[in-house]
Amino acid sequence: MNIQPVNQIQSLLASGKEEVDFKEQSPFKALFQAAMNNIEGTNNLTKKADQMSLDFAVGKIDNIADVMVAQEKASIALQYTVQLRNKLLDAYNEIMRIQI
């Protein structure tokens, strides 16, 4: 995942701009969009692992190792997505606590 907004914020700070127009591009929006794309990938891995499990149960595939690898990939992707969500919520809450 490539996080571009960090570079943009640093360049704005270096240029000495007093006001930042967040309507142009919101760093949080870009980060949130990347997280949503990650959720779609996690969902696809979970669906694939579930389908492989069903195929194994029915007898369409006989390699248990492939099924286990698919299950583990889906599990790790889900754990990553949950942690990413937690970090995004923490960042959002921290931003909301900032007093202007």
Side-chain angles (χ1 to χ4, degrees):
M1 178 171 64
N2 188 8
I3 302 175
Q4 294 294 333
V6 172
N7 295 335
Q8 293 172 353
I9 291 172
Q10 288 176 347
S11 66
L12 286 173
L13 292 174
S15 68
K17 273 191 169 179
E18 293 289 327
E19 296 179 15
V20 178
D21 185 17
F22 286 111
K23 292 180 182 177
E24 196 173 299
Q25 180 176 357
S26 170
F28 188 78
K29 181 181 177 183
L31 187 60
F32 186 74
Q33 186 64 37
M36 293 305 294
N37 291 339
N38 183 38
I39 290 171
E40 291 173 8
T42 301
N43 193 26
N44 291 338
L45 284 172
T46 303
K47 285 180 181 179
K48 180 182 176 185
D50 289 344
Q51 184 60 44
M52 287 183 76
S53 295
L54 288 174
D55 290 345
F56 181 75
V58 173
K60 290 182 181 178
I61 58 175
D62 59 352
N63 191 351
I64 187 77
D66 289 342
V67 176
M68 296 303 292
V69 167
Q71 290 288 338
E72 194 62 28
K73 281 182 182 180
S75 174
I76 290 171
L78 182 61
Q79 290 173 10
Y80 175 74
T81 302
V82 168
Q83 289 300 319
L84 184 61
R85 183 208 59 179
N86 292 343
K87 293 294 182 183
L88 278 172
L89 287 175
D90 288 345
Y92 178 77
N93 288 331
E94 186 69 27
I95 289 170
M96 294 306 291
R97 282 190 286 243
I98 295 174
Q99 295 181 359
I100 298 175

